[in-house]
Amino acid sequence: MRSLLALMSCASILAASSAFAETRVFIIANQADGYGVDQCLAKGEKCGAHVARTYCQSRDFAQASAYRRVDPDEITGSVPKSGANCSHGHCDEYVAITCQR
């Protein structure tokens, strides 16, 4: 009986620790590089998975759980409003990459 109780306690501790895994969202400028990687990230396509994972790993996270284009209006106070960050008809775009440990 005690071993069953100990086993259940360990299982609940492991389940609780995985629920508290650290997650962080990074907002980065989505700059065209000529390789199309920017479009893969912005559209959330499979081809952006490697870039997102590499970005997370470079910041000591294990994996990228999501990546997508972010409207400047979604980013409070840190990005100039539309028009202020446009030059020669090209506006900066931003990508959110969600990383997990």
Side-chain angles (χ1 to χ4, degrees):
M1 181 69 175
R2 286 186 184 182
S3 61
L4 180 60
L5 183 59
L7 180 62
M8 289 176 58
S9 296
C10 289
S12 65
I13 290 171
L14 287 174
S17 66
S18 65
F20 292 112
E22 184 180 355
T23 300
R24 185 167 174 194
V25 178
F26 294 92
I27 306 294
I28 59 171
N30 189 31
Q31 300 169 348
D33 58 3
Y35 294 102
V37 172
D38 56 318
Q39 291 303 311
C40 291
L41 285 170
K43 292 180 182 178
E45 295 177 357
K46 253 182 147 174
C47 55
H50 180 71
V51 175
R53 184 178 66 246
T54 302
Y55 184 86
C56 291
Q57 289 174 345
S58 72
R59 279 141 185 85
D60 297 326
F61 285 84
Q63 65 183 358
S65 59
Y67 50 94
R68 66 178 180 88
R69 183 181 174 277
V70 178
D71 290 325
D73 293 336
E74 291 182 64
I75 308 167
T76 308
S78 59
V79 176
K81 294 292 180 194
S82 297
N85 58 344
C86 296
S87 62
H88 306 291
H90 174 68
C91 297
D92 291 337
E93 291 184 344
Y94 297 90
V95 174
I97 299 177
T98 305
C99 301
Q100 290 183 330
R101 290 204 195 271

